[in-house]
Amino acid sequence: MEATEKDILRGGQFLVKETKCEDVFTPEDFSEEQTMMKESVMEFNDREIIPHKPRFEAKDYALTEEVMRKAGDMGFLSVSVPEAYGGMGMGFVSTVLTCDYISSGTGSFSTAFGAHTGIGTLPITLYGTEEQKQKYVPKLATGEWFGAYCLTEPGAGSDANSGKTTATLSADGKTYKINGQKMWISNAGFCSLMIVFARIEDDKNITGFIVEFDKNNPNGITMGEEEHKLGIRASSTRQVFFNDTVVPADNMLAGRGEGFKIAMNALNVGRIKLAAACLDSQRRILSIAVNYANERKQFKTPIADFGAIKTKLAEMAASAYAGESATYRAAKNIEDRITLREASGNSHQEAELKGVEEYAIECSILKVAVSEDVQNAADEGIQIFGGMGFSEETPMESAWRDARIARIYEGTNEINRMLSVGMLVKKAMKGHVDLLGPAQKVQEELMGIPSFDTPDYSELFSEEKEMIKKLKKTFLMVAGGAVQKYGQNLEDHQQLLIAAADILIEIYMAESAILRTEKNVKRTSEKEQSAQIAMAKLYLYHAVDIVEEKGKESIISFAEGDEQRMMLMGLKRFTKYANYPDIVDLRIEIAEKVKAENKYCF
Ligand SMILES: Cc1cc2nc3c(=O)[nH]c(=O)nc-3n(C[C@H](O)[C@H](O)[C@H](O)COP(=O)(O)OP(=O)(O)OC[C@H]3O[C@@H](n4cnc5c(N)ncnc54)[C@H](O)[C@@H]3O)c2cc1C
């Protein structure tokens, strides 16, 4: 059934509107076409990437390029590219699932793939003119050409709009000359096209250009040596220098001064895709870890039978499950929003742009949460392997190193945390999400007399769903109080923003896991979904702890006296379980399931 405007929440609205489980998309909802895509991508990963892992670790950059070409032959580079430009024109969910299942073999390939299909191609599909799209996108979609994205400079990282690279118009107005230095450019070593951001005169904002690159006719473009990195070792990363590089004026993207907007919007898509790219790594890390733990014996016992190891297996499974739940929920929201916009007359280009922009908050949430979860999973994976985990000969070592970059690129996790809350507050100010009304209600509730009724929580997830509602109230109380206190200056209070972001992140992730499970219970049974129920409950339990800690820290920082006491009492109420879940039992149940299946099996 087609989604209608009223079925789909706007970006950030999850916080103030209740979502029914029927309204979330889950990995169990993959269509036949999506399942086929998933299987084909997994088979490619198993055949072309995983067996060659040692070569990737030995910095075989040529292999990365070769596998990228093979991915192009299979059509994987063109999943999201419209058919008019030689692509498959599949929906956003398919784009996300391709990123997910192609990424677990090695971070080197995953980065090359993400940089090419995301930030290397999207600025043209999203902002290019018809001529630019006709000229470049088919080449990028097939892998005849590879794309790179040149935003970062030595002095302009997180502050991306501060770059010093210049673009100077020729006297006849037909070309621009680009001069400057870019650094950390993924795919630089084998790209034929770069999206380059440069400043024209003393414009406030940078401008985007499509720059062709031919090694035999370099047009003033030179490159530094490959960077030697902690992880993603066979991903090409170089500095790129532009010295009077001549670019046709027609290759400007969107318009003068529009570059910062392009850069940010391309990153929104990049962020959800990066989250997806961390998912199958988590699944694979857990599968390899449980395999080892079932085999490895100490004290005449498989280590998987020890409670200490079961804890790790269960926690790894629960965070991978929550990550999947939230990523596919947001991916489908984006896909539906794009479809709706197209139906109401937007071009595909406009619809995609606005559709993704709408969920920029969720994209930042996912980027932060899943990049940190994969790092934790790899870390615990090493621990399960003991000394062998520390050896290059086992896969955990490279998984751990490869995972580390995800917290840095596509906007650091600090920047994304602050962005998520900042964007939400801006949306509220513009009236796109009504936070004010619900925040006022929470204020009234704080001043009122609490109910001492004991609710009936016998129905599955009734207490958990009530808890999610209370966590949302906590966010509204904290963010509402902070906005009241600091107003426009809120962005100067970074510790507060980051704490509020942690609350927001936990709410979205925990709610997504619960809704997915509830939906699946309705179509199967509680018995069949027993381990999934345990994972959703376990994830929520930790979420509540984090919300309590971050809420307390925030309230103490901006409220004093009676107001502080009232808010702290509210926090206590909003983070209180009537019936605590026995998380030791939950972990045992999850771990036993994973042990029995000898893999991540959800
Ligand atoms: C392997 C790799 C591949 C990359 N690929 C590309 C690519 O293809 N194209 C491209 O353009 N870039 C790429 N990058 C660059 C990447 O996007 C930047 O490294 C990233 O945005 C951070 O910028 P920076 O390194 O200058 O760190 P900085 O911005 O200097 O940040 C350093 C620290 O300060 C924090 N910080 C910065 N500003 C603030 C602030 N306002 N408030 C609070 N904390 C702040 C950051 O969170 C971080 O912890 C890549 C980087 C790497 C390492």
Side-chain angles (χ1 to χ4, degrees):
M1 207 172 64
E2 294 269 303
T4 62
E5 178 78 41
K6 79 173 176 25
D7 298 329
I8 325 173
L9 292 185
R10 296 198 64 163
Q13 246 181 4
F14 72 89
L15 197 64
V16 283
K17 281 204 166 173
E18 195 177 336
T19 306
K20 290 201 193 84
C21 70
E22 293 79 15
D23 294 337
V24 294
F25 182 82
T26 77
E28 293 72 26
D29 293 312
F30 284 162
S31 65
E32 210 174 303
E33 184 186 56
Q34 286 161 344
T35 306
M36 274 165 58
M37 191 66 184
K38 170 181 151 183
E39 282 165 3
S40 156
V41 173
M42 284 171 88
E43 193 267 331
F44 180 82
N45 194 19
D46 286 340
R47 175 165 42 88
E48 300 291 347
I49 302 177
I50 291 174
H52 308 300
K53 188 129 177 128
R55 287 177 61 196
F56 286 109
E57 289 317 306
K59 304 187 181 175
D60 188 341
Y61 303 104
L63 177 64
T64 303
E65 185 181 346
E66 183 190 319
V67 181
M68 281 289 286
R69 290 213 190 278
K70 288 181 178 168
D73 294 342
M74 296 289 295
F76 298 148
L77 304 179
S78 72
V79 175
S80 63
V81 172
E83 282 166 300
Y85 310 107
M88 291 194 189
M90 292 175 83
F92 200 78
V93 171
S94 300
T95 305
V96 165
L97 81 81
T98 307
C99 266
D100 176 350
Y101 287 94
I102 213 160
S103 294
S104 66
T106 164
S108 299
F109 181 78
S110 166
T111 300
F113 183 85
H116 171 78
T117 57
I119 51 185
T121 303
L122 276 171
I124 310 181
T125 55
L126 293 182
Y127 288 97
T129 61
E130 191 52 36
E131 291 71 31
Q132 288 168 343
K133 286 190 284 185
Q134 292 288 356
K135 184 168 178 192
Y136 295 115
V137 177
K139 287 189 167 75
L140 294 167
T142 53
E144 182 187 340
W145 281 16
F146 293 117
Y149 175 86
C150 303
L151 177 64
T152 306
E153 299 184 11
S158 302
D159 187 7
N161 201 26
S162 69
K164 292 196 163 38
T165 298
T166 58
T168 313
L169 189 63
S170 60
D172 63 6
K174 289 191 176 149
T175 57
Y176 279 92
K177 260 189 191 157
I178 297 190
N179 281 287
Q181 176 185 0
K182 297 286 177 179
M183 75 182 297
W184 302 120
I185 305 309
S186 302
N187 295 353
F190 61 93
C191 69
S192 303
L193 180 150
M194 302 176 192
I195 307 293
V196 181
F197 296 92
R199 192 175 311 277
I200 301 172
E201 296 171 346
D202 50 4
D203 284 2
K204 180 165 167 260
N205 289 324
I206 49 180
T207 299
F209 293 91
I210 305 169
V211 179
E212 294 182 22
F213 177 57
D214 176 357
K215 277 186 187 137
N216 301 315
N217 179 19
N219 185 17
I221 299 174
T222 52
M223 299 213 181
E225 291 298 312
E226 288 291 349
E227 301 287 347
H228 295 286
K229 309 185 294 292
L230 172 72
I232 58 167
R233 289 186 167 167
S235 152
S236 170
T237 320
R238 293 175 180 242
Q239 294 202 48
V240 182
F241 302 88
F242 299 92
N243 189 4
D244 283 345
T245 300
V246 179
V247 183
D250 286 346
N251 276 24
M252 184 189 284
L253 270 171
R256 181 169 170 171
E258 295 288 301
F260 189 56
K261 198 171 79 186
I262 300 173
M264 293 305 107
N265 275 324
L267 285 176
N268 286 335
V269 187
R271 285 169 187 154
I272 183 168
K273 286 167 80 174
L274 177 58
C278 295
L279 288 176
D280 201 45
S281 302
Q282 283 190 72
R283 297 185 197 103
R284 196 172 287 271
I285 287 167
L286 176 56
S287 295
I288 295 171
V290 70
N291 235 277
Y292 183 81
N294 274 332
E295 292 286 314
R296 172 75 175 166
K297 285 192 178 145
Q298 285 293 283
F299 306 94
K300 301 194 178 91
T301 312
I303 60 168
D305 287 347
F306 295 128
I309 301 296
K310 283 184 193 171
T311 300
K312 297 184 193 305
L313 297 173
E315 298 289 355
M316 288 156 82
S319 65
Y321 180 75
E324 286 174 346
S325 313
T327 304
Y328 286 101
R329 173 188 185 186
K332 184 68 160 94
N333 282 153
I334 293 174
E335 183 169 301
D336 286 345
R337 181 69 51 190
I338 293 171
T339 311
L340 265 180
R341 281 194 161 266
E342 281 182 313
S344 66
N346 279 180
S347 67
H348 179 75
Q349 186 165 358
E350 220 174 331
E352 187 159 359
L353 193 60
K354 294 285 174 209
V356 179
E357 201 180 3
E358 176 69 39
Y359 296 95
I361 296 166
E362 285 78 358
C363 291
S364 282
I365 288 176
L366 289 165
K367 192 274 178 183
V368 173
V370 188
S371 67
E372 294 181 4
D373 286 343
V374 72
Q375 178 93 67
N376 292 338
D379 199 66
E380 291 291 43
I382 290 184
Q383 202 65 15
I384 290 171
F385 269 67
M388 282 311 290
F390 204 61
S391 164
E392 271 183 15
E393 282 170 31
T394 59
M396 293 304 170
E397 186 259 0
S398 60
W400 188 86
R401 287 187 292 95
D402 281 0
R404 188 62 185 83
I405 186 59
R407 289 164 54 197
I408 298 172
Y409 57 19
E410 306 277 354
T412 65
N413 282 15
E414 292 74 28
I415 297 289
N416 270 294
R417 279 189 158 88
M418 292 186 284
L419 267 178
S420 61
V421 177
M423 290 186 291
L424 189 57
V425 171
K426 269 199 198 118
K427 274 196 152 181
M429 305 261 187
K430 282 187 187 163
H432 293 172
V433 176
D434 176 23
L435 291 191
L436 208 65
Q440 269 163 358
K441 276 201 188 128
V442 176
Q443 282 274 346
E444 285 159 23
E445 191 179 334
L446 287 178
M447 305 219 248
I449 300 161
S451 153
F452 293 102
D453 292 350
T454 314
D456 174 10
Y457 286 137
S458 54
E459 196 184 320
L460 177 69
F461 286 143
S462 50
E463 175 153 17
E464 285 72 19
K465 283 165 60 179
E466 189 57 34
M467 185 58 95
I468 291 284
K469 277 189 197 155
K470 293 193 292 185
L471 298 187
K472 292 178 180 177
K473 287 180 187 173
T474 308
F475 180 87
L476 292 168
M477 174 176 74
V478 168
V483 169
Q484 255 178 18
K485 171 101 188 196
Y486 298 120
Q488 297 289 341
N489 298 329
L490 182 61
E491 62 182 41
D492 297 335
H493 298 267
Q494 292 197 345
Q495 295 195 49
L496 188 49
L497 281 175
I498 285 181
D502 282 334
I503 298 175
L504 191 65
I505 290 168
E506 291 306 321
I507 292 169
Y508 191 67
M509 303 303 287
E511 183 183 63
S512 301
I514 290 169
L515 291 172
R516 170 185 179 183
T517 316
E518 192 189 7
K519 185 173 187 184
N520 286 330
V521 166
K522 284 192 178 167
R523 50 190 169 191
T524 57
S525 66
E526 278 191 39
K527 189 160 171 268
E528 238 176 89
Q529 293 286 314
S530 181
Q532 286 88 332
I533 293 169
M535 287 191 290
K537 288 186 174 180
L538 179 62
Y539 193 96
L540 177 66
Y541 178 87
H542 293 307
V544 173
D545 272 355
I546 293 169
V547 171
E548 190 175 7
E549 184 197 331
K550 301 294 170 181
K552 188 170 155 194
E553 177 186 317
S554 308
I555 293 164
I556 293 171
S557 81
F558 69 77
E560 287 170 354
D562 282 349
E563 190 195 14
Q564 186 190 91
R565 270 188 290 280
M566 184 182 70
M567 283 192 169
L568 287 175
M569 270 164 53
L571 178 67
K572 208 166 172 188
R573 228 192 295 159
F574 295 153
T575 52
K576 187 168 174 278
Y577 275 101
N579 310 286
Y580 279 103
D582 179 346
I583 63 164
V584 171
D585 274 357
L586 295 178
R587 289 193 193 119
I588 290 172
E589 171 162 15
I590 302 161
E592 289 302 339
K593 174 87 177 164
V594 172
K595 270 173 53 188
E597 301 273 345
N598 208 18
K599 63 178 187 198
Y600 178 81
C601 51
F602 306 106

Short mmCIF file of all heavy atoms in Angstrom, two decimals, residues 95 207 266 334 364:
data_model
loop_
_atom_site.label_atom_id
_atom_site.label_comp_id
_atom_site.label_asym_id
_atom_site.label_seq_id
_atom_site.Cartn_x
_atom_site.Cartn_y
_atom_site.Cartn_z
N THR A 95 19.18 1.22 -2.07
CA THR A 95 20.49 1.90 -2.01
C THR A 95 21.16 1.60 -0.67
O THR A 95 22.34 1.26 -0.60
CB THR A 95 20.27 3.43 -2.11
OG1 THR A 95 19.53 3.70 -3.27
CG2 THR A 95 21.56 4.19 -2.13
N THR A 207 31.72 27.32 -3.71
CA THR A 207 30.97 26.90 -4.90
C THR A 207 31.48 25.52 -5.34
O THR A 207 32.67 25.24 -5.22
CB THR A 207 31.20 27.92 -6.04
OG1 THR A 207 30.72 29.19 -5.60
CG2 THR A 207 30.48 27.53 -7.32
N ALA A 266 24.79 16.43 0.38
CA ALA A 266 25.41 15.16 -0.03
C ALA A 266 25.81 14.38 1.22
O ALA A 266 25.71 13.15 1.27
CB ALA A 266 26.62 15.43 -0.91
N ILE A 334 12.51 7.99 4.17
CA ILE A 334 13.08 8.83 3.11
C ILE A 334 12.49 8.42 1.75
O ILE A 334 12.05 9.25 0.96
CB ILE A 334 14.63 8.72 3.10
CG1 ILE A 334 15.19 9.36 4.37
CG2 ILE A 334 15.23 9.37 1.85
CD1 ILE A 334 16.70 9.20 4.58
N SER A 364 21.94 12.00 10.98
CA SER A 364 23.02 12.28 11.94
C SER A 364 22.95 11.31 13.13
O SER A 364 23.97 10.81 13.59
CB SER A 364 22.92 13.72 12.46
OG SER A 364 23.42 14.60 11.51
#
